[in-house]
C-alpha cells in the first residue's frame, strides 16, 4: 500500500498514546482553540469503542467504495485533513469522484464551462461557480481539496439540491419534488419515527430552541432530500474507484444520513463514514460527544478529533434576528 495516513501523521497516533498537541500532522494546526485538549489528533472507532491507529483507518479507507468525510464547515483544518485523506487515496492508486455538498445541481453548467476552459488551477473554480454568493465559508477553505482533485484529474461532482428546491420541500413537503423525483430519490417510504424525532430535535437544537418543532418539521424532509440526492450523485457519478463526499458531519452519520440512503439503493454498498469533530473543553471522552448527535454512540465509523475553531455564538445573532422580527410585528399597526 502507498504512503497512507501513517505517513500523514508521522506515526504520532499509533496505539492509544496521546500525541503531543499540534504535532504529528504534516502541517501545524491552523486552528488554535482547545489545542491542548487530550483528544486532539486521536482517531476513535465508535463501534468497537477503541482508539484506532493510522494503519487501521488506512485499511478501512482502502476497502470502502464510498468514503464520506464529514466536517464542520468553517474549520479550515477539517478541509486540510479532507485534502490529505483524498491525497492518500490518490497515492494508493485510486481515482474516485469527489462530490461536494457545497455545489448544487444548478451549478453544473458553470462547473462544466470552467472545466472546459480551465488551466488546471483550483483558485478560479470558486469564482466560476459563484461560490461567494452561496453563503458557504470562503472558497479558500475548500481549495486544497480541489487542488488534489484537479492534480489527479478526478471528477468534481455537485452533490446538492438547488436552494430553491430545498426551500420548496421545507415549505411544502416532499410533494414539492414531484412523485417521479420522490421515487428516484428513494423517499417514498416515510422515515422511521425514531429517526425523524432525532432529526427534528437536532434541527431544534441547531436553531437554538427558538423555533417550535412544529415549524421545523418541513426541514426534516428537506434534510432527507439532500441526503438522498447526495447518495444518488455518489452512486451515479462514482467511478470504478468509487467516490468521496465532502459534506457536513450530519450528512455523514450512519443512522439516517447519506450512508443509509446509499444502503437503501444498494444493500451491499461499501461505505465508510469518517467524521472530523471539534473538541470541547468539558468533553474529555469520546462518549461525551454522542449526546450532541442525539444518540448514545457516535454515528460514524471513525472520528478524528481536531482543535476547535473560534467563532461567535450563532444563537446570539439568531436571537437578535427573532427579536427584530417580533418588534417589527408589534410595531406594524397604524402609525402615530
Amino acid at each position: 500500500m502507498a504512503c497512507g495516513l501513517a505517513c500523514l501523521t508521522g506515526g504520532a497516533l499509533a496505539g492509544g498514546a496521546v500525541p503531543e498537541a499540534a504535532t504529528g500532522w504534516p502541517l501545524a494546526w491552523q486552528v488554535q482553540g482547545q489545542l491542548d485538549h487530550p483528544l486532539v489528533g486521536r482517531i476513535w472507532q465508535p463501534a468497537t469503542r477503541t482508539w484506532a491507529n493510522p494503519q487501521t483507518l488506512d485499511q478501512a479507507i482502502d476497502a470502502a467504495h464510498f468514503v464520506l468525510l464529514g466536517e464542520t464547515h468553517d474549520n479550515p483544518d477539517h478541509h486540510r485533513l479532507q485534502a490529505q485523506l483524498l491525497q492518500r487515496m490518490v497515492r494508493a492508486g485510486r481515482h474516485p469522484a469527489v462530490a461536494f455538498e457545497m455545489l448544487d445541481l444548478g451549478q453544473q453548467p458553470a462547473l462544466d464551462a470552467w472545466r472546459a476552459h480551465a488551466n488546471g488551477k483550483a483558485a478560479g473554480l470558486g469564482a466560476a461557480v459563484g461560490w461567494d454568493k452561496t453563503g458557504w465559508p470562503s472558497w479558500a477553505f475548500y481549495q486544497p481539496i480541489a487542488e488534489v482533485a484537479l492534480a489527479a484529474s478526478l471528477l468534481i461532482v455537485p452533490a446538492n439540491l438547488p436552494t430553491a428546491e430545498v426551500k420548496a420541500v421545507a415549505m411544502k413537503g416532499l410533494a414539492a419534488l414531484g412523485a417521479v423525483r420522490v421515487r428516484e430519490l428513494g423517499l417514498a417510504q416515510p422515515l422511521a419515527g425514531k429517526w425523524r424525532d432525532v432529526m427534528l430535535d437536532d434541527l431544534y437544537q441547531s436553531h437554538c430552541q427558538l423555533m417550535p418543532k412544529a415549524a421545523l418539521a418541513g426541514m426534516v424532509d428537506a434534510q432527507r432530500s439532500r441526503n438522498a440526492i447526495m447518495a444518488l450523485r455518489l452512486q451515479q457519478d462514482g467511478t470504478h474507484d468509487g467516490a468521496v463526499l465532502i459534506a457536513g458531519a450530519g450528512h455523514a452519520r450512519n443512522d439516517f444520513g447519506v450512508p443509509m440512503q446509499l444502503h437503501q439503493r444498494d444493500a451491499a454498498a461499501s461505505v465508510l463514514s469518517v467524521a472530523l469533530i471539534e473538541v470541547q473543553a468539558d468533553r474529555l471522552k469520546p462518549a461525551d460527544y454522542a449526546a450532541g448527535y442525539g444518540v448514545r454512540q457516535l454515528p460514524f465509523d471513525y472520528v478524528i478529533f481536531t482543535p476547535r475553531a473560534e467563532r461567535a455564538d450563532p444563537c446570539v445573532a439568531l436571537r437578535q434576528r427573532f427579536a427584530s422580527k417580533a418588534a417589527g410585528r408589534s410595531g406594524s399597526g397604524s402609525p402615530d
Side-chain angles (χ1 to χ4, degrees):
M1 182 171 57
C3 179
L5 188 60
C7 297
L8 297 178
T9 62
L13 301 183
V18 180
E20 293 183 17
T23 64
W25 301 98
L27 296 174
W29 297 108
Q30 289 183 354
V31 171
Q32 300 297 301
Q34 299 294 318
L35 198 58
D36 60 350
H37 193 289
L39 297 185
V40 165
R42 303 189 73 184
I43 306 171
W44 178 251
Q45 191 171 7
T48 60
R49 300 183 183 181
T50 58
W51 295 110
N53 61 39
Q55 292 76 19
T56 300
L57 183 54
D58 277 340
Q59 293 165 5
I61 288 174
D62 286 344
H65 192 68
F66 300 111
V67 179
L68 284 61
L69 302 178
E71 66 184 46
T72 296
H73 299 308
D74 62 351
N75 187 318
D77 282 331
H78 286 196
H79 308 303
R80 294 163 74 230
L81 290 174
Q82 289 166 327
Q84 290 164 8
L85 290 170
L86 180 61
Q87 181 69 71
R88 189 218 69 78
M89 297 177 73
V90 172
R91 288 176 178 171
R94 291 182 64 178
H95 291 80
V98 183
F100 284 82
E101 173 197 357
M102 304 80 203
L103 296 174
D104 67 48
L105 303 185
Q107 293 168 292
Q108 185 73 64
L111 179 61
D112 291 342
W114 176 84
R115 185 183 291 122
H117 299 94
N119 59 5
K121 302 293 185 181
L125 193 157
V129 299
W131 186 281
D132 290 345
K133 300 177 182 178
T134 63
W136 293 106
S138 170
W139 168 246
F141 281 19
Y142 292 87
Q143 185 173 316
I145 306 167
E147 288 173 347
V148 173
L150 293 172
S153 300
L154 306 183
L155 178 65
I156 294 177
V157 178
N160 211 344
L161 287 173
T163 301
E165 289 190 51
V166 175
K167 289 182 177 178
V169 174
M171 294 291 293
K172 302 175 183 178
L174 294 176
L177 295 174
V180 173
R181 194 75 177 279
V182 168
R183 286 196 299 272
E184 178 189 33
L185 294 176
L187 296 172
Q189 294 298 320
L191 185 66
K194 171 187 176 181
W195 297 125
R196 192 171 188 88
D197 289 344
V198 173
M199 290 183 74
L200 188 57
D201 188 64
D202 182 61
L203 288 164
Y204 178 65
Q205 298 299 332
S206 67
H207 284 77
C208 309
Q209 303 181 15
L210 294 173
M211 293 180 66
K213 289 186 178 181
L216 295 168
M219 293 188 184
V220 173
D221 288 332
Q223 191 78 336
R224 286 187 67 206
S225 300
R226 297 176 70 217
N227 289 335
I229 194 66
M230 290 181 210
L232 179 62
R233 295 292 282 174
L234 290 174
Q235 187 182 60
Q236 288 182 338
D237 293 293
T239 69
H240 68 282
D241 279 336
V244 172
L245 177 66
I246 304 298
H251 295 292
R253 57 188 296 166
N254 285 322
D255 41 21
F256 55 72
V258 176
M260 184 196 74
Q261 296 287 345
L262 284 167
H263 285 130
Q264 283 186 351
R265 306 188 72 82
D266 178 5
S270 176
V271 184
L272 186 78
S273 173
V274 181
L276 309 176
I277 295 183
E278 296 180 323
V279 296
Q280 298 185 40
D282 59 345
R283 299 181 182 182
L284 303 180
K285 298 181 295 184
D288 298 337
Y289 292 79
Y293 291 91
V295 290
R296 299 180 64 181
Q297 177 178 294
L298 282 165
F300 309 101
D301 296 311
Y302 290 89
V303 170
I304 302 175
F305 289 100
T306 76
R308 186 173 188 82
E310 294 185 8
R311 59 180 67 86
D313 184 349
C315 291
V316 172
L318 193 58
R319 290 189 191 98
Q320 291 174 344
R321 198 169 82 187
F322 273 69
S324 177
K325 287 184 178 181
R329 286 194 298 270
S330 64
S332 61
S334 301
D336 293 338

